[in-house]
Amino acid sequence: METRRIAGKIIPAMITTTALVSSLSCLEMTKLMKQKKSLDIHRNAFVNLAMPFFAFTQPLPAEEMVVEGRSFTIWDRTIIKEKKTTPITIKKLLSRIIKKMDLDKEVYQVSSISYGPY
């Protein structure tokens, strides 16, 4: 009986939290779909339903790193286009990235690669 009582409280809490997080995500997605790219209108949310506590903060811009006089953030992209008929190796891809970014390959290394539509 104890398990049923605990489960009877957990399931509604999970459903309520899921609904709240989904609705907040939909609000932010609507802003993006309306082409509102300014950080002023977007919000980060912290929610504690046990208290109840709702906090909304303005997101901070991405931290900028300066490399050889050029400024980068973690959201910057370098697009490498390759012919679909010719496969590219990882070694060739890494050298193309270093060359396109005009960096010294002895000093800098690529730490993350994402693939997909841009």
Side-chain angles (χ1 to χ4, degrees):
M1 292 302 266
E2 183 70 18
T3 305
R4 269 193 180 170
R5 185 181 65 78
I6 293 171
K9 291 181 180 181
I10 291 175
I11 302 300
M14 286 174 37
I15 294 169
T16 304
T17 304
T18 303
L20 179 65
V21 170
S22 298
S23 62
L24 290 172
S25 297
C26 287
L27 284 172
E28 294 303 314
M29 182 61 76
T30 303
K31 293 175 189 177
L32 283 174
M33 291 175 71
K34 289 186 172 185
Q35 304 296 320
K36 305 291 185 186
K37 295 189 179 187
S38 170
L39 284 179
D40 295 341
I41 65 164
H42 297 286
R43 295 290 178 259
N44 291 329
F46 174 78
V47 179
N48 186 342
L49 295 176
M51 295 179 73
F53 178 73
F54 301 87
F56 296 94
T57 60
Q58 187 173 355
L60 298 173
E63 181 181 342
E64 291 189 12
M65 298 163 280
V66 178
V67 178
E68 295 186 6
R70 293 176 21 205
S71 178
F72 298 97
T73 69
I74 60 171
W75 297 108
D76 288 341
R77 303 178 195 185
T78 300
I79 299 171
I80 305 292
K81 292 189 177 186
E82 194 69 25
K83 294 178 182 175
K84 291 185 178 184
T85 58
T86 309
I88 187 169
T89 64
I90 294 292
K91 185 176 182 178
K92 186 177 176 183
L93 176 65
L94 293 175
S95 66
R96 296 260 321 263
I97 291 171
I98 294 290
K99 183 178 178 182
K100 187 168 186 170
M101 298 299 293
D102 194 31
L103 298 172
D104 181 10
K105 69 178 181 179
E106 300 298 323
V107 178
Y108 298 101
Q109 64 182 13
V110 177
S111 61
S112 177
I113 298 174
S114 298
Y115 172 77
Y118 52 89

